[in-house]
Amino acid sequence: MLIVHNIRLSRILRNTWQVDLIMIVSCTGAYLTRAFLIKHHFEIPAIIPAVLGTAIAFFIGFNNNQAYDRWWEARKIWGALVNDSRSWARSVITYISQNEISDEEFKTLKNRMVRRHIGFLYALKAKLRGAVDENYQQYMEEADLKEINQHSNVHNAILTLQSRELQQLNKDGMIDGFRFIELNHLLIRFSDEMGKAERIKNTVFPTTYNYFTKVFIWLFIVSLTLVVSHEAGLWSIFIGWLVGFVFVSTQINGMSLIDPFENNSSSVPLNQITRTIEINLLEMIGAEKIPAPVKPINDEYIL
Amino acid sequence: MLIVHNIRLSRILRNTWQVDLIMIVSCTGAYLTRAFLIKHHFEIPAIIPAVLGTAIAFFIGFNNNQAYDRWWEARKIWGALVNDSRSWARSVITYISQNEISDEEFKTLKNRMVRRHIGFLYALKAKLRGAVDENYQQYMEEADLKEINQHSNVHNAILTLQSRELQQLNKDGMIDGFRFIELNHLLIRFSDEMGKAERIKNTVFPTTYNYFTKVFIWLFIVSLTLVVSHEAGLWSIFIGWLVGFVFVSTQINGMSLIDPFENNSSSVPLNQITRTIEINLLEMIGAEKIPAPVKPINDEYIL
Amino acid sequence: MLIVHNIRLSRILRNTWQVDLIMIVSCTGAYLTRAFLIKHHFEIPAIIPAVLGTAIAFFIGFNNNQAYDRWWEARKIWGALVNDSRSWARSVITYISQNEISDEEFKTLKNRMVRRHIGFLYALKAKLRGAVDENYQQYMEEADLKEINQHSNVHNAILTLQSRELQQLNKDGMIDGFRFIELNHLLIRFSDEMGKAERIKNTVFPTTYNYFTKVFIWLFIVSLTLVVSHEAGLWSIFIGWLVGFVFVSTQINGMSLIDPFENNSSSVPLNQITRTIEINLLEMIGAEKIPAPVKPINDEYIL
Amino acid sequence: MLIVHNIRLSRILRNTWQVDLIMIVSCTGAYLTRAFLIKHHFEIPAIIPAVLGTAIAFFIGFNNNQAYDRWWEARKIWGALVNDSRSWARSVITYISQNEISDEEFKTLKNRMVRRHIGFLYALKAKLRGAVDENYQQYMEEADLKEINQHSNVHNAILTLQSRELQQLNKDGMIDGFRFIELNHLLIRFSDEMGKAERIKNTVFPTTYNYFTKVFIWLFIVSLTLVVSHEAGLWSIFIGWLVGFVFVSTQINGMSLIDPFENNSSSVPLNQITRTIEINLLEMIGAEKIPAPVKPINDEYIL
Amino acid sequence: MLIVHNIRLSRILRNTWQVDLIMIVSCTGAYLTRAFLIKHHFEIPAIIPAVLGTAIAFFIGFNNNQAYDRWWEARKIWGALVNDSRSWARSVITYISQNEISDEEFKTLKNRMVRRHIGFLYALKAKLRGAVDENYQQYMEEADLKEINQHSNVHNAILTLQSRELQQLNKDGMIDGFRFIELNHLLIRFSDEMGKAERIKNTVFPTTYNYFTKVFIWLFIVSLTLVVSHEAGLWSIFIGWLVGFVFVSTQINGMSLIDPFENNSSSVPLNQITRTIEINLLEMIGAEKIPAPVKPINDEYIL
């Protein structure tokens, strides 16, 4: 997530230099084609770039809408995980009855269920980011880790562990049916949110939209250069690139949001949010070592 | 679901050659009509394609929005099935009490309820894809299959079986009222998701939108050719087709998403997702034979 | 719901001939006005139809969006009724305990509750379609019908009957509190869905939108004809009508979806969907006489 | 809610005459300014109204979308109140056990809880309409009214009364925990819906949107008149007004929906809907005096 | 939240003077550049501002849509807090049984749970507004404040206190399982709403959209001035600024809604809404000192 208000020229150039080059070459080509081939035969009618421009503005708008929706939905999903994680910790801490076990055992039990949940979050984050994250292991007990290793879907396996412990707690009379149902609802919500995040991660935005939009923009600036070169001569190359830049950079901006769980500067800041939950939950169980919040990189963005 | 970033020219041509041909013939016709009939009488005013172009861009935008929404809703529905399927397996595995039955019987019971659910998914998938799928039979017991065969709606019948077994478990004291309600909620959610998928499958997107949009694009390129041929001569045929291609291919892209459960390259990848749930669930019950994930076809798309 | 891919010219003409006539008369009037009154004084500036065209395309787009949303919401509501109806039948069949009543009585009881629900659906459909439907009576017992006749809102009265029977079942110990709550939730959902359908049925889409859009299109084609007649002479009448047709037919298409429960070819196919539920439910209770699915009319549409 | 299909000219003029006057004066001013001041110096370029026209069409579209959404959300909220009100009456009538109280007392009890709910609806309606409504008092008992008078938020106070009676019923063993929870859920839903309605009522649509749109339309028609007067002379005043009317009336139509609980002809027909619930509920408790449905005013609209 | 219908010129100038200055300087620069450098070489083609204008109108529309959605979502979240707060107070007041504690203790208990909730709202508001709010302390008991001070997330800590008290009430038999579940659901909803508000507060709207839109508007007015100065001479500077103002002010209006929890005149009026809940809740527990509603500032806006 970018946190600056102005974008450095260097960042813009880094993101668009390839496209800029293609556009400049294409506009130059169009200029030369017109100068040497078309000029003496006919004029390219101005209605072509006019009609294409309007149509493409629509299509770019469509792409940006869908991209933004994916990004915002991703943010909502991870936000829901924040809320439900707090509810989980709160419920675990206050709703389990101590019964006959010792204070020490009781505290260990609660800590285990809350820390295991932090492990769940880190495991899910690692999967979504496509990264190896050993972070989650420090929050899991030895026995848990062993069992989980047999599963390809680590985060799902952790939920099963929670569910089994819940069942045991109910059997031991430490939570009654009403509390059991409340905690189980939270597990179902974690399952939902995890699945929703995977859905966005695994669903490729229809390739055709991005591909064709790029082709159409290219057609548009070529036809624009052809039309404009009549009046503006060599400047038409600059004009073609400039107008093309408006369209292309908007399209690129949109596409940078399309995969909101990637590890880049415009993605949902999973590191930061997960750390926030981690801090909240550790404070709630009165942990001693509490990590610091995630810091922005270059004062420019947060991962 | 397409997984490549660039689309092969061959695929584009395969999808649009008929329309391309119609457009080229129409533009040629328009060119000739103007050259021999209209030219000496009057000029077609440029405002006609200009106004039509803007209007049609709107209508194509509308179609694409609705198509994308259907596709994304379909994806969400099948994603919800993933989440609830995991919750179902997790609940079946951890929340049923063994009571007085043997270990073997207990394991069989759990396996049956999880495997039957995999059968439900395959039956539903077969119905949505309009294909015959014998896959689901391997996950059902003999007795179940017999009973199901009397029903025209196979997947609904499977849910009734699950429901009956749940009732029996509760009567036998293997799950209490709270757990009964939790598992029943999942059955209701399966019923919802199955119905939602059928809704999208069975509801024809209003024919008028696609039909009229195609007619209007045709009108647009004919009028464009008429206008442009004044200046561009024979090239107007090429220009008419090129601009028409921008509109037509966007419309076709949209329409390829309109029936998201079809068995084609831009549909929701039901095979892949169902297989993912299958693997997850089989791992959860510790099955021995676990199938491999679905592979992309031609490294181009996943079904 | 239209099920054909191409629309017959006859259908188009039947839907638009009045508007076509008005347009042709207006364009002719505009042509004549210009030819005899305006021509020698000044030219109508082309910017007028250009600006109006863009604006009207927006407004038509707005109308179509809202119309489609109403239609799709209506379809979703009736789809939710499908899902919940199946859940109702499934729950009635599997969750009621026989206790001390005879097999025969037990079967009658279940059949009554499922058949009464089919009656509810037919009564609701009749109300939405504004038609008299005696179909629902065959699914209700004599006593029920008598009681219902005292109510102006038949479908609501049927829900009260279901609710009362549910209460009785719980008192007789045939369902416990947990099952009672599940079945009651379904009744609340039926109440919701019935109310949502009535909301769409009873809420007139703001008249002003349709009315003004038609007036604006008329202004647009008149001004277009005035502008075009300068160059195109008599053909301007044809051009005015043709461009007008693009706008008008899109508006009419949208408006044909605005009241999705009407009894016409583009409405939600209530007959077909209700019949589908009917078949599903009758199969579930093992009924003997099961009606055939609803057939398309003229292979063109389904009601 | 307007129920006619065509809008009387008188209504249009009544709604727009002030704006029409301003537009005509402005266009005349623009015409004169050009004729005497600008004409001999330069021509206003046509691109200005062209660009402004497109931009303003967007902004008007935005305003209309938001206005319609507020209106439709308001309608949905009040529709949900219909559904939940019926569920409330149904539950009160069938789920309370008579136990040891007399038939008469039992009937009075049920009637009180249903009638008090009708009172709740009328009190809420009065608040939303900003009107004094004594209607609700006839549905409340003396003691209730006394207590309510101490609260500034009447409808909220009524919910507290319902809640207290519910608690008492449960204590007296007339409803069990399961039914208690069901009825309480309905109270929570009423609380939600009441709060949602108040949210729409109390949130001013950002003033800036309406204000600036009006300023921009004014700029647009002035520039349009300036441009058009070159060719069209005095007629440019008429043209300026006519095109302005298309934009202004669309903006005004939108704004008439922005406060959907006001007491005017395009608002949500609260009187009618509340009366419908009233009739339904009174029929359900077998009341003797049942009021007639609300009638349209002038056959034109329903309040 | 602005509550006036017309906006003072002073407010507009205060919000836009910097941008106005930049625009006037840029347009003057463009005019001079053309007059001394470009004029004799070529004309800037009018198609450039025409195409840019349409495209930018789209992008501004996109920004406004997203900004308005954030603002409206924020309003909905805080509205849901209103509804659930009332439900909380209502439930606390009517659903707790007195059992064996004294009247005084009972009243203190209820007051504590309701007042603590008001504290929760003020703490959350302070966090969202980024302000120090000591208001919440007056609603918390000494012991509570001590405990809360150890947590970085004050509002979350308050929810844990509520949750602990709830657990105690259930252990003491003052609420049963059913009521426990109802009150706990409300705590989960508070957790959700608090998390949703934090999500909007902490998520920066993608910087790129606002930044590039401003750059594009600048490009647009420069090119417009260049084109217009051919005909309009010095007036082109005024025209460039005027058209630029239409675009810029719309963009600025949108952006003023993008962070709806800020402490400015177009934000969600948290002070007012929180005070409304406060008054409602204090009335419900029969408090003696009830604060007055929040008053508008300058009769212009409410914070």
Side-chain angles (χ1 to χ4, degrees), chain A residues 42 163 170 184 192 207 209, chain B residues 4 64 94-95 179 182 231:
Chain A
F42 66 95
S163 171
N170 184 226
N184 188 46
D192 273 9
T207 311
Y209 284 118
Chain B
V4 286
N64 270 277
T94 56
Y95 293 159
R179 281 161 185 79
E182 291 300 275
E231 289 185 15

Side-chain angles (χ1 to χ4, degrees), chain C residues 119-144:
Chain C
F120 164 76
L121 294 171
Y122 272 110
L124 179 56
K125 178 170 88 72
K127 185 73 169 295
L128 294 176
R129 283 274 167 95
V132 179
D133 187 307
E134 303 299 325
N135 231 348
Y136 87 90
Q137 305 203 347
Q138 75 181 84
Y139 284 107
M140 310 287 292
E141 295 192 347
E142 209 48 45
D144 285 1

Side-chain angles (χ1 to χ4, degrees), chain E residues 18-173:
Chain E
Q18 291 164 304
V19 180
D20 287 331
L21 213 68
I22 295 174
M23 288 199 293
I24 290 168
V25 169
S26 304
C27 291
T28 312
Y31 172 76
L32 296 174
T33 307
R34 183 180 167 283
F36 295 102
L37 293 177
I38 304 178
K39 200 172 173 180
H40 306 292
H41 304 294
F42 65 96
E43 291 302 326
I44 306 290
I47 194 176
I48 296 170
V51 162
L52 283 180
T54 307
I56 293 169
F58 270 91
F59 306 152
I60 293 177
F62 172 80
N63 288 336
N64 270 278
N65 270 319
Q66 310 307 347
Y68 183 84
D69 281 357
R70 278 173 74 111
W71 179 80
W72 192 234
E73 194 192 349
R75 184 62 189 80
K76 277 185 172 170
I77 292 166
W78 208 261
L81 273 172
V82 174
N83 314 346
D84 291 332
S85 297
R86 287 170 179 165
S87 291
W88 173 260
R90 199 176 58 243
S91 302
V92 163
I93 291 168
T94 55
Y95 295 159
I96 304 180
S97 305
Q98 189 165 350
N99 286 12
E100 295 158 19
I101 63 173
S102 73
D103 277 13
E104 191 57 33
E105 283 174 317
F106 190 45
K107 202 179 163 195
T108 310
L109 166 74
K110 288 182 186 178
N111 282 1
R112 184 171 59 239
M113 289 184 80
V114 172
R115 292 174 67 89
R116 197 190 272 139
H117 183 70
I118 302 179
F120 164 76
L121 293 171
Y122 272 110
L124 179 56
K125 178 171 86 72
K127 185 74 170 293
L128 293 175
R129 282 272 166 97
V132 179
D133 187 307
E134 303 300 324
N135 232 348
Y136 87 90
Q137 305 203 347
Q138 75 181 85
Y139 285 107
M140 311 286 293
E141 296 192 346
E142 211 46 46
D144 285 2
L145 281 175
K146 217 178 216 163
E147 192 168 341
I148 287 168
N149 283 337
Q150 296 163 5
H151 290 265
S152 61
N153 190 329
V154 171
H155 34 101
N156 190 32
I158 299 178
L159 284 190
T160 309
L161 290 178
Q162 297 283 39
S163 171
R164 204 168 58 197
E165 182 128 32
L166 204 61
Q167 170 77 349
Q168 195 55 48
L169 283 176
N170 184 225
K171 274 201 171 160
D172 296 348

